[in-house]
Amino acid sequence: MDKLISDLKTQIIAQLNLQDTKPEDIGDDQPLFVEGLGLDSIDALELIVLLQQNYKIKLSNAEDGPKVFKTVKTMAEYITAYQAQNS
Amino acid sequence: MPKQNYISAHCVITNNTVYKNGQALFQFTEKDLSSYLIAAYRHFDGQYPKFFKMDNLSRTGWLACEVLLQDSFDKAAYKPEDIGIVLSNANSSLDTDIKYFETTKTMASPAQFVYTLPNIVIGEISIRHQFKGENAFFIFDQFDAAFIQQYVSNLLDNDILQCCICGWVDVLDDACNGSLFLIEREKSANSTIFTEENLNNIYQLQNG
């Protein structure tokens, strides 16, 4: 899980062009949106693309978005659960 | 007798130099436009993380506006709805349209898609400075000082705006040109009269 969280942080920075942010600046439990990393609705779409491109995961239910993309940790947990279910 | 308006300040971003009121403030020799604009952003101490997410057209316009207004503009003197933006260019958002089209071959990028309209640069500047006045974006073959002068004068002379940022912001591949003018109704220490000739002179001087 730690490796996945670390990879996700690097991928998020690259995908969202967060050039002044380093992986260590993003806390595992730090909210990604609004008061945390300050991501917006376009970033949310980019995170969906990130899941699809890097993990072959299609978020089928849009209502899952806020739960899945709450923090880097919740993203990692979702990916891990998905991969366990589909392996 | 027509009312007189004034060019209070001007900023020109060419392919390798950023000028403010005719003075070169920053130069960059590498050809990559993104690197140039990011280097200029850092040089002028930009504190706006969203800059990195913008396309090069918005970066050019945003940066030119930042330099234009720095130490030259008393925002508090105006209501947000009295400050407008009138821009123009030749290539619309083609630079980003092409980049976005490339992404559609694999995974369409939402972040690129939102910049596939030229007037998004006006939105980025407006969000940054909280401007809420009249705005417009025109496509011409080349910088048309006569049209800009007439259009902006009309907005000012009819009290639709009290102040306007206008000019040319164009990007294609690694070529950029951001030439912005701050137009106000009151004369200030270093202002020049807002005429077609003065607009053209300033534009030609830095753009050759």
mmCIF file with all atom_site columns, all heavy atoms in Angstrom, chain A residues 11-33:
data_model
loop_
_atom_site.group_PDB
_atom_site.id
_atom_site.type_symbol
_atom_site.label_atom_id
_atom_site.label_alt_id
_atom_site.label_comp_id
_atom_site.label_asym_id
_atom_site.label_entity_id
_atom_site.label_seq_id
_atom_site.pdbx_PDB_ins_code
_atom_site.Cartn_x
_atom_site.Cartn_y
_atom_site.Cartn_z
_atom_site.occupancy
_atom_site.B_iso_or_equiv
_atom_site.pdbx_formal_charge
_atom_site.auth_seq_id
_atom_site.auth_comp_id
_atom_site.auth_asym_id
_atom_site.auth_atom_id
_atom_site.pdbx_PDB_model_num
ATOM 1   N N   . GLN A 1 11 ? 2.032   10.355 -9.662  1.00 0.00 ? 11 GLN A N   1
ATOM 2   C CA  . GLN A 1 11 ? 1.142   10.381 -10.836 1.00 0.00 ? 11 GLN A CA  1
ATOM 3   C C   . GLN A 1 11 ? 0.179   11.571 -10.783 1.00 0.00 ? 11 GLN A C   1
ATOM 4   O O   . GLN A 1 11 ? -0.095  12.204 -11.805 1.00 0.00 ? 11 GLN A O   1
ATOM 5   C CB  . GLN A 1 11 ? 0.352   9.064  -10.924 1.00 0.00 ? 11 GLN A CB  1
ATOM 6   C CG  . GLN A 1 11 ? 1.214   7.882  -11.321 1.00 0.00 ? 11 GLN A CG  1
ATOM 7   C CD  . GLN A 1 11 ? 0.626   6.544  -10.916 1.00 0.00 ? 11 GLN A CD  1
ATOM 8   O OE1 . GLN A 1 11 ? -0.455  6.475  -10.309 1.00 0.00 ? 11 GLN A OE1 1
ATOM 9   N NE2 . GLN A 1 11 ? 1.333   5.466  -11.231 1.00 0.00 ? 11 GLN A NE2 1
ATOM 10  N N   . ILE A 1 12 ? -0.326  11.885 -9.606  1.00 0.00 ? 12 ILE A N   1
ATOM 11  C CA  . ILE A 1 12 ? -1.254  13.024 -9.463  1.00 0.00 ? 12 ILE A CA  1
ATOM 12  C C   . ILE A 1 12 ? -0.537  14.329 -9.821  1.00 0.00 ? 12 ILE A C   1
ATOM 13  O O   . ILE A 1 12 ? -1.068  15.167 -10.552 1.00 0.00 ? 12 ILE A O   1
ATOM 14  C CB  . ILE A 1 12 ? -1.827  13.086 -8.014  1.00 0.00 ? 12 ILE A CB  1
ATOM 15  C CG1 . ILE A 1 12 ? -2.829  11.943 -7.800  1.00 0.00 ? 12 ILE A CG1 1
ATOM 16  C CG2 . ILE A 1 12 ? -2.491  14.433 -7.733  1.00 0.00 ? 12 ILE A CG2 1
ATOM 17  C CD1 . ILE A 1 12 ? -3.265  11.742 -6.359  1.00 0.00 ? 12 ILE A CD1 1
ATOM 18  N N   . ILE A 1 13 ? 0.672   14.486 -9.331  1.00 0.00 ? 13 ILE A N   1
ATOM 19  C CA  . ILE A 1 13 ? 1.446   15.709 -9.624  1.00 0.00 ? 13 ILE A CA  1
ATOM 20  C C   . ILE A 1 13 ? 1.669   15.847 -11.128 1.00 0.00 ? 13 ILE A C   1
ATOM 21  O O   . ILE A 1 13 ? 1.499   16.930 -11.699 1.00 0.00 ? 13 ILE A O   1
ATOM 22  C CB  . ILE A 1 13 ? 2.791   15.689 -8.848  1.00 0.00 ? 13 ILE A CB  1
ATOM 23  C CG1 . ILE A 1 13 ? 2.523   15.919 -7.362  1.00 0.00 ? 13 ILE A CG1 1
ATOM 24  C CG2 . ILE A 1 13 ? 3.767   16.724 -9.399  1.00 0.00 ? 13 ILE A CG2 1
ATOM 25  C CD1 . ILE A 1 13 ? 3.699   15.647 -6.454  1.00 0.00 ? 13 ILE A CD1 1
ATOM 26  N N   . ALA A 1 14 ? 2.008   14.730 -11.787 1.00 0.00 ? 14 ALA A N   1
ATOM 27  C CA  . ALA A 1 14 ? 2.253   14.775 -13.233 1.00 0.00 ? 14 ALA A CA  1
ATOM 28  C C   . ALA A 1 14 ? 0.958   15.026 -14.004 1.00 0.00 ? 14 ALA A C   1
ATOM 29  O O   . ALA A 1 14 ? 0.900   15.887 -14.881 1.00 0.00 ? 14 ALA A O   1
ATOM 30  C CB  . ALA A 1 14 ? 2.898   13.468 -13.684 1.00 0.00 ? 14 ALA A CB  1
ATOM 31  N N   . GLN A 1 15 ? -0.081  14.293 -13.638 1.00 0.00 ? 15 GLN A N   1
ATOM 32  C CA  . GLN A 1 15 ? -1.344  14.390 -14.391 1.00 0.00 ? 15 GLN A CA  1
ATOM 33  C C   . GLN A 1 15 ? -1.990  15.768 -14.247 1.00 0.00 ? 15 GLN A C   1
ATOM 34  O O   . GLN A 1 15 ? -2.575  16.298 -15.192 1.00 0.00 ? 15 GLN A O   1
ATOM 35  C CB  . GLN A 1 15 ? -2.322  13.322 -13.872 1.00 0.00 ? 15 GLN A CB  1
ATOM 36  C CG  . GLN A 1 15 ? -3.615  13.206 -14.664 1.00 0.00 ? 15 GLN A CG  1
ATOM 37  C CD  . GLN A 1 15 ? -3.505  12.240 -15.837 1.00 0.00 ? 15 GLN A CD  1
ATOM 38  O OE1 . GLN A 1 15 ? -2.643  11.369 -15.855 1.00 0.00 ? 15 GLN A OE1 1
ATOM 39  N NE2 . GLN A 1 15 ? -4.361  12.395 -16.822 1.00 0.00 ? 15 GLN A NE2 1
ATOM 40  N N   . LEU A 1 16 ? -1.866  16.354 -13.055 1.00 0.00 ? 16 LEU A N   1
ATOM 41  C CA  . LEU A 1 16 ? -2.540  17.632 -12.796 1.00 0.00 ? 16 LEU A CA  1
ATOM 42  C C   . LEU A 1 16 ? -1.604  18.837 -12.931 1.00 0.00 ? 16 LEU A C   1
ATOM 43  O O   . LEU A 1 16 ? -2.016  19.963 -12.640 1.00 0.00 ? 16 LEU A O   1
ATOM 44  C CB  . LEU A 1 16 ? -3.173  17.635 -11.401 1.00 0.00 ? 16 LEU A CB  1
ATOM 45  C CG  . LEU A 1 16 ? -4.134  16.483 -11.091 1.00 0.00 ? 16 LEU A CG  1
ATOM 46  C CD1 . LEU A 1 16 ? -4.750  16.658 -9.719  1.00 0.00 ? 16 LEU A CD1 1
ATOM 47  C CD2 . LEU A 1 16 ? -5.224  16.372 -12.138 1.00 0.00 ? 16 LEU A CD2 1
ATOM 48  N N   . ASN A 1 17 ? -0.371  18.588 -13.374 1.00 0.00 ? 17 ASN A N   1
ATOM 49  C CA  . ASN A 1 17 ? 0.577   19.689 -13.568 1.00 0.00 ? 17 ASN A CA  1
ATOM 50  C C   . ASN A 1 17 ? 0.792   20.513 -12.299 1.00 0.00 ? 17 ASN A C   1
ATOM 51  O O   . ASN A 1 17 ? 0.808   21.746 -12.358 1.00 0.00 ? 17 ASN A O   1
ATOM 52  C CB  . ASN A 1 17 ? 0.055   20.627 -14.664 1.00 0.00 ? 17 ASN A CB  1
ATOM 53  C CG  . ASN A 1 17 ? 0.907   20.513 -15.910 1.00 0.00 ? 17 ASN A CG  1
ATOM 54  O OD1 . ASN A 1 17 ? 2.121   20.303 -15.820 1.00 0.00 ? 17 ASN A OD1 1
ATOM 55  N ND2 . ASN A 1 17 ? 0.274   20.636 -17.053 1.00 0.00 ? 17 ASN A ND2 1
ATOM 56  N N   . LEU A 1 18 ? 0.955   19.836 -11.176 1.00 0.00 ? 18 LEU A N   1
ATOM 57  C CA  . LEU A 1 18 ? 1.153   20.559 -9.902  1.00 0.00 ? 18 LEU A CA  1
ATOM 58  C C   . LEU A 1 18 ? 2.650   20.800 -9.717  1.00 0.00 ? 18 LEU A C   1
ATOM 59  O O   . LEU A 1 18 ? 3.292   20.200 -8.858  1.00 0.00 ? 18 LEU A O   1
ATOM 60  C CB  . LEU A 1 18 ? 0.588   19.739 -8.737  1.00 0.00 ? 18 LEU A CB  1
ATOM 61  C CG  . LEU A 1 18 ? -0.872  19.308 -8.852  1.00 0.00 ? 18 LEU A CG  1
ATOM 62  C CD1 . LEU A 1 18 ? -1.260  18.393 -7.689  1.00 0.00 ? 18 LEU A CD1 1
ATOM 63  C CD2 . LEU A 1 18 ? -1.784  20.527 -8.879  1.00 0.00 ? 18 LEU A CD2 1
ATOM 64  N N   . GLN A 1 19 ? 3.187   21.702 -10.535 1.00 0.00 ? 19 GLN A N   1
ATOM 65  C CA  . GLN A 1 19 ? 4.638   21.818 -10.623 1.00 0.00 ? 19 GLN A CA  1
ATOM 66  C C   . GLN A 1 19 ? 5.331   22.321 -9.362  1.00 0.00 ? 19 GLN A C   1
ATOM 67  O O   . GLN A 1 19 ? 6.509   22.087 -9.194  1.00 0.00 ? 19 GLN A O   1
ATOM 68  C CB  . GLN A 1 19 ? 5.004   22.720 -11.796 1.00 0.00 ? 19 GLN A CB  1
ATOM 69  C CG  . GLN A 1 19 ? 4.627   22.071 -13.098 1.00 0.00 ? 19 GLN A CG  1
ATOM 70  C CD  . GLN A 1 19 ? 5.469   22.587 -14.248 1.00 0.00 ? 19 GLN A CD  1
ATOM 71  O OE1 . GLN A 1 19 ? 6.519   23.174 -14.060 1.00 0.00 ? 19 GLN A OE1 1
ATOM 72  N NE2 . GLN A 1 19 ? 4.998   22.351 -15.460 1.00 0.00 ? 19 GLN A NE2 1
ATOM 73  N N   . ASP A 1 20 ? 4.624   23.024 -8.525  1.00 0.00 ? 20 ASP A N   1
ATOM 74  C CA  . ASP A 1 20 ? 5.255   23.505 -7.293  1.00 0.00 ? 20 ASP A CA  1
ATOM 75  C C   . ASP A 1 20 ? 4.986   22.577 -6.113  1.00 0.00 ? 20 ASP A C   1
ATOM 76  O O   . ASP A 1 20 ? 5.257   22.930 -4.972  1.00 0.00 ? 20 ASP A O   1
ATOM 77  C CB  . ASP A 1 20 ? 4.767   24.925 -6.971  1.00 0.00 ? 20 ASP A CB  1
ATOM 78  C CG  . ASP A 1 20 ? 5.557   25.964 -7.767  1.00 0.00 ? 20 ASP A CG  1
ATOM 79  O OD1 . ASP A 1 20 ? 6.598   25.589 -8.340  1.00 0.00 ? 20 ASP A OD1 1
ATOM 80  O OD2 . ASP A 1 20 ? 5.120   27.123 -7.837  1.00 0.00 ? 20 ASP A OD2 1
ATOM 81  N N   . THR A 1 21 ? 4.430   21.410 -6.396  1.00 0.00 ? 21 THR A N   1
ATOM 82  C CA  . THR A 1 21 ? 4.110   20.458 -5.323  1.00 0.00 ? 21 THR A CA  1
ATOM 83  C C   . THR A 1 21 ? 5.022   19.243 -5.436  1.00 0.00 ? 21 THR A C   1
ATOM 84  O O   . THR A 1 21 ? 5.248   18.726 -6.525  1.00 0.00 ? 21 THR A O   1
ATOM 85  C CB  . THR A 1 21 ? 2.638   20.000 -5.447  1.00 0.00 ? 21 THR A CB  1
ATOM 86  O OG1 . THR A 1 21 ? 1.805   21.155 -5.474  1.00 0.00 ? 21 THR A OG1 1
ATOM 87  C CG2 . THR A 1 21 ? 2.222   19.114 -4.289  1.00 0.00 ? 21 THR A CG2 1
ATOM 88  N N   . LYS A 1 22 ? 5.538   18.800 -4.282  1.00 0.00 ? 22 LYS A N   1
ATOM 89  C CA  . LYS A 1 22 ? 6.369   17.588 -4.262  1.00 0.00 ? 22 LYS A CA  1
ATOM 90  C C   . LYS A 1 22 ? 5.550   16.463 -3.638  1.00 0.00 ? 22 LYS A C   1
ATOM 91  O O   . LYS A 1 22 ? 4.633   16.739 -2.847  1.00 0.00 ? 22 LYS A O   1
ATOM 92  C CB  . LYS A 1 22 ? 7.626   17.832 -3.411  1.00 0.00 ? 22 LYS A CB  1
ATOM 93  C CG  . LYS A 1 22 ? 8.538   18.917 -3.949  1.00 0.00 ? 22 LYS A CG  1
ATOM 94  C CD  . LYS A 1 22 ? 9.806   18.987 -3.105  1.00 0.00 ? 22 LYS A CD  1
ATOM 95  C CE  . LYS A 1 22 ? 10.593  20.238 -3.418  1.00 0.00 ? 22 LYS A CE  1
ATOM 96  N NZ  . LYS A 1 22 ? 10.009  21.449 -2.821  1.00 0.00 ? 22 LYS A NZ  1
ATOM 97  N N   . PRO A 1 23 ? 5.876   15.208 -3.957  1.00 0.00 ? 23 PRO A N   1
ATOM 98  C CA  . PRO A 1 23 ? 5.101   14.093 -3.386  1.00 0.00 ? 23 PRO A CA  1
ATOM 99  C C   . PRO A 1 23 ? 4.981   14.186 -1.860  1.00 0.00 ? 23 PRO A C   1
ATOM 100 O O   . PRO A 1 23 ? 3.923   13.910 -1.292  1.00 0.00 ? 23 PRO A O   1
ATOM 101 C CB  . PRO A 1 23 ? 5.893   12.851 -3.812  1.00 0.00 ? 23 PRO A CB  1
ATOM 102 C CG  . PRO A 1 23 ? 6.589   13.263 -5.064  1.00 0.00 ? 23 PRO A CG  1
ATOM 103 C CD  . PRO A 1 23 ? 6.909   14.714 -4.901  1.00 0.00 ? 23 PRO A CD  1
ATOM 104 N N   . GLU A 1 24 ? 6.068   14.592 -1.213  1.00 0.00 ? 24 GLU A N   1
ATOM 105 C CA  . GLU A 1 24 ? 6.047   14.658 0.251   1.00 0.00 ? 24 GLU A CA  1
ATOM 106 C C   . GLU A 1 24 ? 5.150   15.789 0.788   1.00 0.00 ? 24 GLU A C   1
ATOM 107 O O   . GLU A 1 24 ? 4.828   15.826 1.976   1.00 0.00 ? 24 GLU A O   1
ATOM 108 C CB  . GLU A 1 24 ? 7.469   14.770 0.835   1.00 0.00 ? 24 GLU A CB  1
ATOM 109 C CG  . GLU A 1 24 ? 8.291   15.949 0.321   1.00 0.00 ? 24 GLU A CG  1
ATOM 110 C CD  . GLU A 1 24 ? 9.140   15.585 -0.897  1.00 0.00 ? 24 GLU A CD  1
ATOM 111 O OE1 . GLU A 1 24 ? 8.725   14.713 -1.683  1.00 0.00 ? 24 GLU A OE1 1
ATOM 112 O OE2 . GLU A 1 24 ? 10.220  16.202 -1.054  1.00 0.00 ? 24 GLU A OE2 1
ATOM 113 N N   . ASP A 1 25 ? 4.752   16.698 -0.097  1.00 0.00 ? 25 ASP A N   1
ATOM 114 C CA  . ASP A 1 25 ? 3.836   17.776 0.326   1.00 0.00 ? 25 ASP A CA  1
ATOM 115 C C   . ASP A 1 25 ? 2.392   17.275 0.457   1.00 0.00 ? 25 ASP A C   1
ATOM 116 O O   . ASP A 1 25 ? 1.547   17.956 1.028   1.00 0.00 ? 25 ASP A O   1
ATOM 117 C CB  . ASP A 1 25 ? 3.831   18.922 -0.710  1.00 0.00 ? 25 ASP A CB  1
ATOM 118 C CG  . ASP A 1 25 ? 5.186   19.612 -0.820  1.00 0.00 ? 25 ASP A CG  1
ATOM 119 O OD1 . ASP A 1 25 ? 5.954   19.535 0.166   1.00 0.00 ? 25 ASP A OD1 1
ATOM 120 O OD2 . ASP A 1 25 ? 5.465   20.200 -1.879  1.00 0.00 ? 25 ASP A OD2 1
ATOM 121 N N   . ILE A 1 26 ? 2.123   16.109 -0.131  1.00 0.00 ? 26 ILE A N   1
ATOM 122 C CA  . ILE A 1 26 ? 0.749   15.588 -0.101  1.00 0.00 ? 26 ILE A CA  1
ATOM 123 C C   . ILE A 1 26 ? 0.644   14.536 0.999   1.00 0.00 ? 26 ILE A C   1
ATOM 124 O O   . ILE A 1 26 ? 1.288   13.487 0.927   1.00 0.00 ? 26 ILE A O   1
ATOM 125 C CB  . ILE A 1 26 ? 0.363   14.953 -1.467  1.00 0.00 ? 26 ILE A CB  1
ATOM 126 C CG1 . ILE A 1 26 ? 0.613   15.943 -2.623  1.00 0.00 ? 26 ILE A CG1 1
ATOM 127 C CG2 . ILE A 1 26 ? -1.087  14.501 -1.457  1.00 0.00 ? 26 ILE A CG2 1
ATOM 128 C CD1 . ILE A 1 26 ? 0.413   15.350 -4.009  1.00 0.00 ? 26 ILE A CD1 1
ATOM 129 N N   . GLY A 1 27 ? -0.153  14.830 2.005   1.00 0.00 ? 27 GLY A N   1
ATOM 130 C CA  . GLY A 1 27 ? -0.356  13.877 3.103   1.00 0.00 ? 27 GLY A CA  1
ATOM 131 C C   . GLY A 1 27 ? -1.256  12.734 2.643   1.00 0.00 ? 27 GLY A C   1
ATOM 132 O O   . GLY A 1 27 ? -2.140  12.940 1.812   1.00 0.00 ? 27 GLY A O   1
ATOM 133 N N   . ASP A 1 28 ? -1.012  11.543 3.199   1.00 0.00 ? 28 ASP A N   1
ATOM 134 C CA  . ASP A 1 28 ? -1.829  10.374 2.818   1.00 0.00 ? 28 ASP A CA  1
ATOM 135 C C   . ASP A 1 28 ? -3.310  10.634 3.071   1.00 0.00 ? 28 ASP A C   1
ATOM 136 O O   . ASP A 1 28 ? -4.168  10.192 2.310   1.00 0.00 ? 28 ASP A O   1
ATOM 137 C CB  . ASP A 1 28 ? -1.403  9.136  3.623   1.00 0.00 ? 28 ASP A CB  1
ATOM 138 C CG  . ASP A 1 28 ? 0.039   8.729  3.328   1.00 0.00 ? 28 ASP A CG  1
ATOM 139 O OD1 . ASP A 1 28 ? 0.684   9.393  2.488   1.00 0.00 ? 28 ASP A OD1 1
ATOM 140 O OD2 . ASP A 1 28 ? 0.512   7.748  3.948   1.00 0.00 ? 28 ASP A OD2 1
ATOM 141 N N   . ASP A 1 29 ? -3.612  11.318 4.171   1.00 0.00 ? 29 ASP A N   1
ATOM 142 C CA  . ASP A 1 29 ? -5.008  11.554 4.561   1.00 0.00 ? 29 ASP A CA  1
ATOM 143 C C   . ASP A 1 29 ? -5.469  12.984 4.287   1.00 0.00 ? 29 ASP A C   1
ATOM 144 O O   . ASP A 1 29 ? -6.535  13.403 4.739   1.00 0.00 ? 29 ASP A O   1
ATOM 145 C CB  . ASP A 1 29 ? -5.185  11.249 6.064   1.00 0.00 ? 29 ASP A CB  1
ATOM 146 C CG  . ASP A 1 29 ? -5.034  9.761  6.343   1.00 0.00 ? 29 ASP A CG  1
ATOM 147 O OD1 . ASP A 1 29 ? -5.728  8.968  5.681   1.00 0.00 ? 29 ASP A OD1 1
ATOM 148 O OD2 . ASP A 1 29 ? -4.218  9.389  7.212   1.00 0.00 ? 29 ASP A OD2 1
ATOM 149 N N   . GLN A 1 30 ? -4.651  13.734 3.574   1.00 0.00 ? 30 GLN A N   1
ATOM 150 C CA  . GLN A 1 30 ? -5.002  15.129 3.271   1.00 0.00 ? 30 GLN A CA  1
ATOM 151 C C   . GLN A 1 30 ? -6.111  15.175 2.213   1.00 0.00 ? 30 GLN A C   1
ATOM 152 O O   . GLN A 1 30 ? -5.999  14.512 1.179   1.00 0.00 ? 30 GLN A O   1
ATOM 153 C CB  . GLN A 1 30 ? -3.758  15.843 2.735   1.00 0.00 ? 30 GLN A CB  1
ATOM 154 C CG  . GLN A 1 30 ? -3.977  17.291 2.368   1.00 0.00 ? 30 GLN A CG  1
ATOM 155 C CD  . GLN A 1 30 ? -2.745  17.907 1.673   1.00 0.00 ? 30 GLN A CD  1
ATOM 156 O OE1 . GLN A 1 30 ? -1.763  17.220 1.391   1.00 0.00 ? 30 GLN A OE1 1
ATOM 157 N NE2 . GLN A 1 30 ? -2.821  19.189 1.408   1.00 0.00 ? 30 GLN A NE2 1
ATOM 158 N N   . PRO A 1 31 ? -7.186  15.923 2.469   1.00 0.00 ? 31 PRO A N   1
ATOM 159 C CA  . PRO A 1 31 ? -8.244  16.012 1.447   1.00 0.00 ? 31 PRO A CA  1
ATOM 160 C C   . PRO A 1 31 ? -7.666  16.551 0.134   1.00 0.00 ? 31 PRO A C   1
ATOM 161 O O   . PRO A 1 31 ? -6.867  17.477 0.138   1.00 0.00 ? 31 PRO A O   1
ATOM 162 C CB  . PRO A 1 31 ? -9.237  17.011 2.051   1.00 0.00 ? 31 PRO A CB  1
ATOM 163 C CG  . PRO A 1 31 ? -8.947  17.031 3.508   1.00 0.00 ? 31 PRO A CG  1
ATOM 164 C CD  . PRO A 1 31 ? -7.482  16.727 3.649   1.00 0.00 ? 31 PRO A CD  1
ATOM 165 N N   . LEU A 1 32 ? -8.081  15.935 -0.969  1.00 0.00 ? 32 LEU A N   1
ATOM 166 C CA  . LEU A 1 32 ? -7.559  16.370 -2.271  1.00 0.00 ? 32 LEU A CA  1
ATOM 167 C C   . LEU A 1 32 ? -8.268  17.631 -2.761  1.00 0.00 ? 32 LEU A C   1
ATOM 168 O O   . LEU A 1 32 ? -7.683  18.449 -3.463  1.00 0.00 ? 32 LEU A O   1
ATOM 169 C CB  . LEU A 1 32 ? -7.720  15.250 -3.306  1.00 0.00 ? 32 LEU A CB  1
ATOM 170 C CG  . LEU A 1 32 ? -6.861  14.006 -3.069  1.00 0.00 ? 32 LEU A CG  1
ATOM 171 C CD1 . LEU A 1 32 ? -7.186  12.920 -4.085  1.00 0.00 ? 32 LEU A CD1 1
ATOM 172 C CD2 . LEU A 1 32 ? -5.377  14.353 -3.156  1.00 0.00 ? 32 LEU A CD2 1
ATOM 173 N N   . PHE A 1 33 ? -9.533  17.764 -2.378  1.00 0.00 ? 33 PHE A N   1
ATOM 174 C CA  . PHE A 1 33 ? -10.325 18.882 -2.901  1.00 0.00 ? 33 PHE A CA  1
ATOM 175 C C   . PHE A 1 33 ? -10.534 19.981 -1.854  1.00 0.00 ? 33 PHE A C   1
ATOM 176 O O   . PHE A 1 33 ? -10.350 19.752 -0.661  1.00 0.00 ? 33 PHE A O   1
ATOM 177 C CB  . PHE A 1 33 ? -11.669 18.368 -3.428  1.00 0.00 ? 33 PHE A CB  1
ATOM 178 C CG  . PHE A 1 33 ? -11.491 17.529 -4.663  1.00 0.00 ? 33 PHE A CG  1
ATOM 179 C CD1 . PHE A 1 33 ? -11.234 16.168 -4.555  1.00 0.00 ? 33 PHE A CD1 1
ATOM 180 C CD2 . PHE A 1 33 ? -11.493 18.092 -5.922  1.00 0.00 ? 33 PHE A CD2 1
ATOM 181 C CE1 . PHE A 1 33 ? -11.013 15.396 -5.687  1.00 0.00 ? 33 PHE A CE1 1
ATOM 182 C CE2 . PHE A 1 33 ? -11.278 17.331 -7.057  1.00 0.00 ? 33 PHE A CE2 1
ATOM 183 C CZ  . PHE A 1 33 ? -11.042 15.976 -6.933  1.00 0.00 ? 33 PHE A CZ  1
#
